[in-house]
Amino acid sequence: MQGRRREMAGPAGACLALLAALALLAGCQPKGPPVFQGYIEGEFVYVAGKIAGRLDVLPVARGDLVSAGQTLYVLEHAYEAQGVALAEADLRQAEDTLRDRQKGLRPEEIDQLLADLRRAEAEHALSSLEYDRRVKLYGQSVIAKEELDTSRTTHARDKQQVKSLEAKLATGKLPSRVDQVHATQDAVEAAPAPREHARWYQGPMSQPAGGAGLVYDVLHYPGEWVAAGAPVVTLLPPQNVKVRFFVPEAVAAGLAVGREIRVAADGAQPVVAHITYIAPTVEYTPPVIYSQGFREKLVIMVEGRFAPETAARLHPGQPVDVSLEPATAPKPAGGGA
């Protein structure tokens, strides 16, 4: 019996020794940094206009990458375009009127006045000779006084006609009166206001992207009526992608904004992020975190952001593990071999 006990004790002792060795080996292995569960979050940009209208053009689709300034959609704007054209025509008309009043008469009109003046001078010269002849004849009692009076009147009329045409010619070479020019200048200065007002109404009918990003969703399609302020396209700029995770209060006390962290999604290599926000209040673990050990615990929310090229590969709602790996240790002060 004793010999049999020794045979049975031999294998059992070996197993106990093996378990003890494994426990000792596990205790000697270095402990890794804590890992916390989190998820990717996106801050979406809802692109909307301040004027209602029918959606005419939608050049983007869900999943497209757009650049800053690229047109996202265009509403019906025929009425607004006509308003801009009318305002621009009014401005051009006011400018043309101002230039016309600053120049005076055209060369053709000046030539016409000169011709009229030459004819009037010729008529005046003729009536002057006729009047002198009538004066002599009247002195010789050859003609009646009525003929002399008629000749005198004709001579005076022709003389005034010459003076009138000379004045018109002098005035025609000058610009319009100062008050007329000033009034036209005021009209030119006021004309751009209606044009800009019309452009203001036309501008929101075409919406450009405020920055580069992913077209995350399209909420309206061509032919639909879009209300004022209703978003048509949802954008996700890469800088708006962040990681959100939750840590116990004791861990949060050792974190700081700017600290480097490692974020790992299923089947992907860890990527670098930096803490940008630490919540000032505690909360219960949200339902989105499924860890059994983390439920029913008070935690603090922490957020971090990625480089744009890294953020473009992540998706909102994606579960991740966050490791608080310490940053590269600083070199000790002073040199040493």
PDB file of all heavy atoms in Angstrom, residues 224-257:
ATOM      1  N   GLU A 224     -37.031  67.843 -55.052  1.00  0.00           N
ATOM      2  CA  GLU A 224     -37.692  68.040 -53.758  1.00  0.00           C
ATOM      3  C   GLU A 224     -37.649  69.517 -53.362  1.00  0.00           C
ATOM      4  O   GLU A 224     -36.738  70.256 -53.731  1.00  0.00           O
ATOM      5  CB  GLU A 224     -37.028  67.191 -52.678  1.00  0.00           C
ATOM      6  CG  GLU A 224     -37.169  65.698 -52.883  1.00  0.00           C
ATOM      7  CD  GLU A 224     -36.542  64.895 -51.761  1.00  0.00           C
ATOM      8  OE1 GLU A 224     -35.872  65.502 -50.891  1.00  0.00           O
ATOM      9  OE2 GLU A 224     -36.715  63.668 -51.754  1.00  0.00           O
ATOM     10  N   TRP A 225     -38.631  69.920 -52.577  1.00  0.00           N
ATOM     11  CA  TRP A 225     -38.668  71.272 -52.036  1.00  0.00           C
ATOM     12  C   TRP A 225     -37.880  71.293 -50.737  1.00  0.00           C
ATOM     13  O   TRP A 225     -38.093  70.470 -49.849  1.00  0.00           O
ATOM     14  CB  TRP A 225     -40.101  71.721 -51.790  1.00  0.00           C
ATOM     15  CG  TRP A 225     -40.183  73.103 -51.209  1.00  0.00           C
ATOM     16  CD1 TRP A 225     -40.303  73.454 -49.897  1.00  0.00           C
ATOM     17  CD2 TRP A 225     -40.120  74.332 -51.937  1.00  0.00           C
ATOM     18  NE1 TRP A 225     -40.324  74.810 -49.754  1.00  0.00           N
ATOM     19  CE2 TRP A 225     -40.215  75.382 -50.994  1.00  0.00           C
ATOM     20  CE3 TRP A 225     -39.999  74.644 -53.280  1.00  0.00           C
ATOM     21  CZ2 TRP A 225     -40.196  76.730 -51.366  1.00  0.00           C
ATOM     22  CZ3 TRP A 225     -39.963  75.986 -53.649  1.00  0.00           C
ATOM     23  CH2 TRP A 225     -40.069  77.006 -52.704  1.00  0.00           C
ATOM     24  N   VAL A 226     -36.955  72.237 -50.624  1.00  0.00           N
ATOM     25  CA  VAL A 226     -36.101  72.351 -49.448  1.00  0.00           C
ATOM     26  C   VAL A 226     -36.511  73.599 -48.682  1.00  0.00           C
ATOM     27  O   VAL A 226     -36.490  74.708 -49.231  1.00  0.00           O
ATOM     28  CB  VAL A 226     -34.615  72.429 -49.843  1.00  0.00           C
ATOM     29  CG1 VAL A 226     -33.751  72.552 -48.607  1.00  0.00           C
ATOM     30  CG2 VAL A 226     -34.218  71.210 -50.659  1.00  0.00           C
ATOM     31  N   ALA A 227     -36.907  73.445 -47.449  1.00  0.00           N
ATOM     32  CA  ALA A 227     -37.303  74.576 -46.624  1.00  0.00           C
ATOM     33  C   ALA A 227     -36.081  75.383 -46.203  1.00  0.00           C
ATOM     34  O   ALA A 227     -34.950  74.878 -46.183  1.00  0.00           O
ATOM     35  CB  ALA A 227     -38.068  74.091 -45.395  1.00  0.00           C
ATOM     36  N   ALA A 228     -36.312  76.639 -45.864  1.00  0.00           N
ATOM     37  CA  ALA A 228     -35.218  77.491 -45.392  1.00  0.00           C
ATOM     38  C   ALA A 228     -34.633  76.912 -44.107  1.00  0.00           C
ATOM     39  O   ALA A 228     -35.358  76.583 -43.166  1.00  0.00           O
ATOM     40  CB  ALA A 228     -35.721  78.909 -45.159  1.00  0.00           C
ATOM     41  N   GLY A 229     -33.333  76.775 -44.070  1.00  0.00           N
ATOM     42  CA  GLY A 229     -32.653  76.236 -42.900  1.00  0.00           C
ATOM     43  C   GLY A 229     -32.599  74.720 -42.836  1.00  0.00           C
ATOM     44  O   GLY A 229     -32.002  74.171 -41.905  1.00  0.00           O
ATOM     45  N   ALA A 230     -33.218  74.029 -43.794  1.00  0.00           N
ATOM     46  CA  ALA A 230     -33.201  72.562 -43.788  1.00  0.00           C
ATOM     47  C   ALA A 230     -31.915  72.057 -44.418  1.00  0.00           C
ATOM     48  O   ALA A 230     -31.581  72.443 -45.546  1.00  0.00           O
ATOM     49  CB  ALA A 230     -34.403  72.014 -44.546  1.00  0.00           C
ATOM     50  N   PRO A 231     -31.156  71.190 -43.740  1.00  0.00           N
ATOM     51  CA  PRO A 231     -29.909  70.680 -44.325  1.00  0.00           C
ATOM     52  C   PRO A 231     -30.165  69.776 -45.510  1.00  0.00           C
ATOM     53  O   PRO A 231     -31.153  69.032 -45.546  1.00  0.00           O
ATOM     54  CB  PRO A 231     -29.252  69.927 -43.168  1.00  0.00           C
ATOM     55  CG  PRO A 231     -30.374  69.580 -42.252  1.00  0.00           C
ATOM     56  CD  PRO A 231     -31.395  70.667 -42.384  1.00  0.00           C
ATOM     57  N   VAL A 232     -29.280  69.842 -46.481  1.00  0.00           N
ATOM     58  CA  VAL A 232     -29.366  69.009 -47.679  1.00  0.00           C
ATOM     59  C   VAL A 232     -28.268  67.950 -47.675  1.00  0.00           C
ATOM     60  O   VAL A 232     -28.491  66.812 -48.069  1.00  0.00           O
ATOM     61  CB  VAL A 232     -29.279  69.880 -48.951  1.00  0.00           C
ATOM     62  CG1 VAL A 232     -29.283  69.015 -50.204  1.00  0.00           C
ATOM     63  CG2 VAL A 232     -30.424  70.882 -48.993  1.00  0.00           C
ATOM     64  N   VAL A 233     -27.084  68.329 -47.221  1.00  0.00           N
ATOM     65  CA  VAL A 233     -25.925  67.428 -47.228  1.00  0.00           C
ATOM     66  C   VAL A 233     -25.302  67.429 -45.831  1.00  0.00           C
ATOM     67  O   VAL A 233     -25.216  68.480 -45.178  1.00  0.00           O
ATOM     68  CB  VAL A 233     -24.883  67.876 -48.278  1.00  0.00           C
ATOM     69  CG1 VAL A 233     -23.638  67.001 -48.201  1.00  0.00           C
ATOM     70  CG2 VAL A 233     -25.484  67.805 -49.674  1.00  0.00           C
ATOM     71  N   THR A 234     -24.869  66.260 -45.373  1.00  0.00           N
ATOM     72  CA  THR A 234     -24.150  66.134 -44.109  1.00  0.00           C
ATOM     73  C   THR A 234     -22.688  65.826 -44.408  1.00  0.00           C
ATOM     74  O   THR A 234     -22.394  64.834 -45.075  1.00  0.00           O
ATOM     75  CB  THR A 234     -24.755  65.020 -43.237  1.00  0.00           C
ATOM     76  OG1 THR A 234     -26.138  65.289 -43.038  1.00  0.00           O
ATOM     77  CG2 THR A 234     -24.058  64.959 -41.894  1.00  0.00           C
ATOM     78  N   LEU A 235     -21.797  66.686 -43.915  1.00  0.00           N
ATOM     79  CA  LEU A 235     -20.357  66.504 -44.123  1.00  0.00           C
ATOM     80  C   LEU A 235     -19.686  66.054 -42.831  1.00  0.00           C
ATOM     81  O   LEU A 235     -20.122  66.413 -41.728  1.00  0.00           O
ATOM     82  CB  LEU A 235     -19.713  67.809 -44.587  1.00  0.00           C
ATOM     83  CG  LEU A 235     -20.054  68.318 -45.988  1.00  0.00           C
ATOM     84  CD1 LEU A 235     -19.274  69.593 -46.274  1.00  0.00           C
ATOM     85  CD2 LEU A 235     -19.747  67.271 -47.038  1.00  0.00           C
ATOM     86  N   LEU A 236     -18.621  65.290 -42.994  1.00  0.00           N
ATOM     87  CA  LEU A 236     -17.784  64.894 -41.864  1.00  0.00           C
ATOM     88  C   LEU A 236     -16.341  65.272 -42.190  1.00  0.00           C
ATOM     89  O   LEU A 236     -15.629  64.521 -42.857  1.00  0.00           O
ATOM     90  CB  LEU A 236     -17.899  63.396 -41.591  1.00  0.00           C
ATOM     91  CG  LEU A 236     -17.061  62.871 -40.417  1.00  0.00           C
ATOM     92  CD1 LEU A 236     -17.452  63.567 -39.126  1.00  0.00           C
ATOM     93  CD2 LEU A 236     -17.208  61.362 -40.269  1.00  0.00           C
ATOM     94  N   PRO A 237     -15.889  66.443 -41.749  1.00  0.00           N
ATOM     95  CA  PRO A 237     -14.480  66.813 -41.960  1.00  0.00           C
ATOM     96  C   PRO A 237     -13.573  65.897 -41.136  1.00  0.00           C
ATOM     97  O   PRO A 237     -13.955  65.469 -40.027  1.00  0.00           O
ATOM     98  CB  PRO A 237     -14.421  68.265 -41.458  1.00  0.00           C
ATOM     99  CG  PRO A 237     -15.847  68.733 -41.444  1.00  0.00           C
ATOM    100  CD  PRO A 237     -16.657  67.520 -41.126  1.00  0.00           C
ATOM    101  N   PRO A 238     -12.387  65.586 -41.619  1.00  0.00           N
ATOM    102  CA  PRO A 238     -11.510  64.666 -40.878  1.00  0.00           C
ATOM    103  C   PRO A 238     -11.121  65.199 -39.504  1.00  0.00           C
ATOM    104  O   PRO A 238     -10.941  64.412 -38.569  1.00  0.00           O
ATOM    105  CB  PRO A 238     -10.287  64.528 -41.805  1.00  0.00           C
ATOM    106  CG  PRO A 238     -10.361  65.681 -42.743  1.00  0.00           C
ATOM    107  CD  PRO A 238     -11.804  66.004 -42.905  1.00  0.00           C
ATOM    108  N   GLN A 239     -11.020  66.531 -39.373  1.00  0.00           N
ATOM    109  CA  GLN A 239     -10.656  67.075 -38.073  1.00  0.00           C
ATOM    110  C   GLN A 239     -11.780  66.967 -37.048  1.00  0.00           C
ATOM    111  O   GLN A 239     -11.578  67.252 -35.864  1.00  0.00           O
ATOM    112  CB  GLN A 239     -10.209  68.540 -38.205  1.00  0.00           C
ATOM    113  CG  GLN A 239     -11.303  69.499 -38.646  1.00  0.00           C
ATOM    114  CD  GLN A 239     -11.393  69.621 -40.146  1.00  0.00           C
ATOM    115  OE1 GLN A 239     -10.881  68.768 -40.875  1.00  0.00           O
ATOM    116  NE2 GLN A 239     -12.023  70.680 -40.620  1.00  0.00           N
ATOM    117  N   ASN A 240     -12.982  66.564 -37.500  1.00  0.00           N
ATOM    118  CA  ASN A 240     -14.112  66.416 -36.590  1.00  0.00           C
ATOM    119  C   ASN A 240     -14.294  64.982 -36.107  1.00  0.00           C
ATOM    120  O   ASN A 240     -15.279  64.681 -35.443  1.00  0.00           O
ATOM    121  CB  ASN A 240     -15.407  66.887 -37.271  1.00  0.00           C
ATOM    122  CG  ASN A 240     -15.456  68.398 -37.425  1.00  0.00           C
ATOM    123  OD1 ASN A 240     -14.458  69.077 -37.279  1.00  0.00           O
ATOM    124  ND2 ASN A 240     -16.621  68.932 -37.727  1.00  0.00           N
ATOM    125  N   VAL A 241     -13.380  64.085 -36.469  1.00  0.00           N
ATOM    126  CA  VAL A 241     -13.432  62.705 -35.990  1.00  0.00           C
ATOM    127  C   VAL A 241     -12.621  62.609 -34.701  1.00  0.00           C
ATOM    128  O   VAL A 241     -11.480  63.089 -34.632  1.00  0.00           O
ATOM    129  CB  VAL A 241     -12.875  61.738 -37.057  1.00  0.00           C
ATOM    130  CG1 VAL A 241     -12.845  60.313 -36.523  1.00  0.00           C
ATOM    131  CG2 VAL A 241     -13.717  61.821 -38.328  1.00  0.00           C
ATOM    132  N   LYS A 242     -13.204  62.005 -33.672  1.00  0.00           N
ATOM    133  CA  LYS A 242     -12.515  61.915 -32.380  1.00  0.00           C
ATOM    134  C   LYS A 242     -12.822  60.571 -31.733  1.00  0.00           C
ATOM    135  O   LYS A 242     -13.740  59.844 -32.147  1.00  0.00           O
ATOM    136  CB  LYS A 242     -12.977  63.053 -31.464  1.00  0.00           C
ATOM    137  CG  LYS A 242     -14.469  63.053 -31.188  1.00  0.00           C
ATOM    138  CD  LYS A 242     -14.887  64.285 -30.411  1.00  0.00           C
ATOM    139  CE  LYS A 242     -16.408  64.300 -30.187  1.00  0.00           C
ATOM    140  NZ  LYS A 242     -16.835  65.521 -29.465  1.00  0.00           N
ATOM    141  N   VAL A 243     -12.059  60.232 -30.721  1.00  0.00           N
ATOM    142  CA  VAL A 243     -12.293  59.037 -29.935  1.00  0.00           C
ATOM    143  C   VAL A 243     -12.846  59.471 -28.580  1.00  0.00           C
ATOM    144  O   VAL A 243     -12.432  60.481 -28.017  1.00  0.00           O
ATOM    145  CB  VAL A 243     -10.997  58.216 -29.763  1.00  0.00           C
ATOM    146  CG1 VAL A 243      -9.913  59.016 -29.052  1.00  0.00           C
ATOM    147  CG2 VAL A 243     -11.285  56.930 -28.997  1.00  0.00           C
ATOM    148  N   ARG A 244     -13.805  58.720 -28.105  1.00  0.00           N
ATOM    149  CA  ARG A 244     -14.405  59.002 -26.793  1.00  0.00           C
ATOM    150  C   ARG A 244     -14.311  57.729 -25.955  1.00  0.00           C
ATOM    151  O   ARG A 244     -14.766  56.666 -26.384  1.00  0.00           O
ATOM    152  CB  ARG A 244     -15.848  59.452 -26.967  1.00  0.00           C
ATOM    153  CG  ARG A 244     -16.570  59.757 -25.663  1.00  0.00           C
ATOM    154  CD  ARG A 244     -17.980  60.274 -25.946  1.00  0.00           C
ATOM    155  NE  ARG A 244     -17.932  61.616 -26.500  1.00  0.00           N
ATOM    156  CZ  ARG A 244     -19.005  62.274 -26.930  1.00  0.00           C
ATOM    157  NH1 ARG A 244     -20.192  61.683 -26.902  1.00  0.00           N
ATOM    158  NH2 ARG A 244     -18.898  63.499 -27.417  1.00  0.00           N
ATOM    159  N   PHE A 245     -13.709  57.831 -24.764  1.00  0.00           N
ATOM    160  CA  PHE A 245     -13.591  56.671 -23.887  1.00  0.00           C
ATOM    161  C   PHE A 245     -13.798  57.124 -22.445  1.00  0.00           C
ATOM    162  O   PHE A 245     -13.870  58.329 -22.157  1.00  0.00           O
ATOM    163  CB  PHE A 245     -12.241  55.965 -24.076  1.00  0.00           C
ATOM    164  CG  PHE A 245     -11.042  56.816 -23.771  1.00  0.00           C
ATOM    165  CD1 PHE A 245     -10.360  56.677 -22.562  1.00  0.00           C
ATOM    166  CD2 PHE A 245     -10.582  57.748 -24.685  1.00  0.00           C
ATOM    167  CE1 PHE A 245      -9.233  57.450 -22.283  1.00  0.00           C
ATOM    168  CE2 PHE A 245      -9.459  58.519 -24.410  1.00  0.00           C
ATOM    169  CZ  PHE A 245      -8.788  58.368 -23.208  1.00  0.00           C
ATOM    170  N   PHE A 246     -13.904  56.139 -21.539  1.00  0.00           N
ATOM    171  CA  PHE A 246     -14.278  56.429 -20.166  1.00  0.00           C
ATOM    172  C   PHE A 246     -13.284  55.755 -19.227  1.00  0.00           C
ATOM    173  O   PHE A 246     -12.927  54.588 -19.425  1.00  0.00           O
ATOM    174  CB  PHE A 246     -15.698  55.944 -19.893  1.00  0.00           C
ATOM    175  CG  PHE A 246     -16.719  56.581 -20.793  1.00  0.00           C
ATOM    176  CD1 PHE A 246     -16.960  56.073 -22.066  1.00  0.00           C
ATOM    177  CD2 PHE A 246     -17.411  57.698 -20.382  1.00  0.00           C
ATOM    178  CE1 PHE A 246     -17.885  56.657 -22.905  1.00  0.00           C
ATOM    179  CE2 PHE A 246     -18.342  58.291 -21.222  1.00  0.00           C
ATOM    180  CZ  PHE A 246     -18.581  57.777 -22.483  1.00  0.00           C
ATOM    181  N   VAL A 247     -12.859  56.502 -18.230  1.00  0.00           N
ATOM    182  CA  VAL A 247     -11.860  55.993 -17.283  1.00  0.00           C
ATOM    183  C   VAL A 247     -12.348  56.247 -15.865  1.00  0.00           C
ATOM    184  O   VAL A 247     -13.144  57.164 -15.629  1.00  0.00           O
ATOM    185  CB  VAL A 247     -10.497  56.683 -17.509  1.00  0.00           C
ATOM    186  CG1 VAL A 247      -9.980  56.412 -18.917  1.00  0.00           C
ATOM    187  CG2 VAL A 247     -10.589  58.178 -17.251  1.00  0.00           C
ATOM    188  N   PRO A 248     -11.896  55.455 -14.898  1.00  0.00           N
ATOM    189  CA  PRO A 248     -12.235  55.720 -13.494  1.00  0.00           C
ATOM    190  C   PRO A 248     -11.669  57.062 -13.038  1.00  0.00           C
ATOM    191  O   PRO A 248     -10.749  57.620 -13.640  1.00  0.00           O
ATOM    192  CB  PRO A 248     -11.599  54.549 -12.746  1.00  0.00           C
ATOM    193  CG  PRO A 248     -11.404  53.491 -13.774  1.00  0.00           C
ATOM    194  CD  PRO A 248     -11.144  54.199 -15.054  1.00  0.00           C
ATOM    195  N   GLU A 249     -12.227  57.574 -11.950  1.00  0.00           N
ATOM    196  CA  GLU A 249     -11.784  58.879 -11.440  1.00  0.00           C
ATOM    197  C   GLU A 249     -10.297  58.872 -11.105  1.00  0.00           C
ATOM    198  O   GLU A 249      -9.589  59.843 -11.367  1.00  0.00           O
ATOM    199  CB  GLU A 249     -12.591  59.241 -10.198  1.00  0.00           C
ATOM    200  CG  GLU A 249     -14.063  59.474 -10.464  1.00  0.00           C
ATOM    201  CD  GLU A 249     -14.810  59.815  -9.191  1.00  0.00           C
ATOM    202  OE1 GLU A 249     -14.733  60.980  -8.758  1.00  0.00           O
ATOM    203  OE2 GLU A 249     -15.461  58.913  -8.631  1.00  0.00           O
ATOM    204  N   ALA A 250      -9.826  57.781 -10.544  1.00  0.00           N
ATOM    205  CA  ALA A 250      -8.415  57.731 -10.146  1.00  0.00           C
ATOM    206  C   ALA A 250      -7.501  57.823 -11.364  1.00  0.00           C
ATOM    207  O   ALA A 250      -6.432  58.437 -11.309  1.00  0.00           O
ATOM    208  CB  ALA A 250      -8.144  56.445  -9.373  1.00  0.00           C
ATOM    209  N   VAL A 251      -7.913  57.219 -12.468  1.00  0.00           N
ATOM    210  CA  VAL A 251      -7.101  57.280 -13.684  1.00  0.00           C
ATOM    211  C   VAL A 251      -7.173  58.668 -14.308  1.00  0.00           C
ATOM    212  O   VAL A 251      -6.175  59.214 -14.782  1.00  0.00           O
ATOM    213  CB  VAL A 251      -7.559  56.208 -14.688  1.00  0.00           C
ATOM    214  CG1 VAL A 251      -6.795  56.339 -16.004  1.00  0.00           C
ATOM    215  CG2 VAL A 251      -7.364  54.821 -14.097  1.00  0.00           C
ATOM    216  N   ALA A 252      -8.369  59.274 -14.307  1.00  0.00           N
ATOM    217  CA  ALA A 252      -8.536  60.602 -14.914  1.00  0.00           C
ATOM    218  C   ALA A 252      -7.686  61.647 -14.217  1.00  0.00           C
ATOM    219  O   ALA A 252      -7.236  62.614 -14.846  1.00  0.00           O
ATOM    220  CB  ALA A 252     -10.005  61.004 -14.878  1.00  0.00           C
ATOM    221  N   ALA A 253      -7.435  61.459 -12.932  1.00  0.00           N
ATOM    222  CA  ALA A 253      -6.631  62.444 -12.192  1.00  0.00           C
ATOM    223  C   ALA A 253      -5.211  62.528 -12.728  1.00  0.00           C
ATOM    224  O   ALA A 253      -4.552  63.566 -12.590  1.00  0.00           O
ATOM    225  CB  ALA A 253      -6.615  62.082 -10.706  1.00  0.00           C
ATOM    226  N   GLY A 254      -4.726  61.453 -13.345  1.00  0.00           N
ATOM    227  CA  GLY A 254      -3.371  61.465 -13.887  1.00  0.00           C
ATOM    228  C   GLY A 254      -3.284  61.819 -15.351  1.00  0.00           C
ATOM    229  O   GLY A 254      -2.190  61.778 -15.922  1.00  0.00           O
ATOM    230  N   LEU A 255      -4.406  62.183 -15.986  1.00  0.00           N
ATOM    231  CA  LEU A 255      -4.407  62.537 -17.410  1.00  0.00           C
ATOM    232  C   LEU A 255      -4.368  64.050 -17.585  1.00  0.00           C
ATOM    233  O   LEU A 255      -4.763  64.801 -16.698  1.00  0.00           O
ATOM    234  CB  LEU A 255      -5.651  61.965 -18.105  1.00  0.00           C
ATOM    235  CG  LEU A 255      -5.820  60.441 -18.046  1.00  0.00           C
ATOM    236  CD1 LEU A 255      -7.092  60.036 -18.783  1.00  0.00           C
ATOM    237  CD2 LEU A 255      -4.601  59.746 -18.643  1.00  0.00           C
ATOM    238  N   ALA A 256      -3.918  64.462 -18.757  1.00  0.00           N
ATOM    239  CA  ALA A 256      -3.853  65.891 -19.079  1.00  0.00           C
ATOM    240  C   ALA A 256      -4.095  66.073 -20.569  1.00  0.00           C
ATOM    241  O   ALA A 256      -3.796  65.181 -21.376  1.00  0.00           O
ATOM    242  CB  ALA A 256      -2.495  66.477 -18.693  1.00  0.00           C
ATOM    243  N   VAL A 257      -4.653  67.207 -20.918  1.00  0.00           N
ATOM    244  CA  VAL A 257      -4.882  67.530 -22.326  1.00  0.00           C
ATOM    245  C   VAL A 257      -3.545  67.580 -23.057  1.00  0.00           C
ATOM    246  O   VAL A 257      -2.581  68.165 -22.569  1.00  0.00           O
ATOM    247  CB  VAL A 257      -5.631  68.867 -22.457  1.00  0.00           C
ATOM    248  CG1 VAL A 257      -5.710  69.312 -23.921  1.00  0.00           C
ATOM    249  CG2 VAL A 257      -7.028  68.750 -21.873  1.00  0.00           C
TER     250      VAL A 257
END
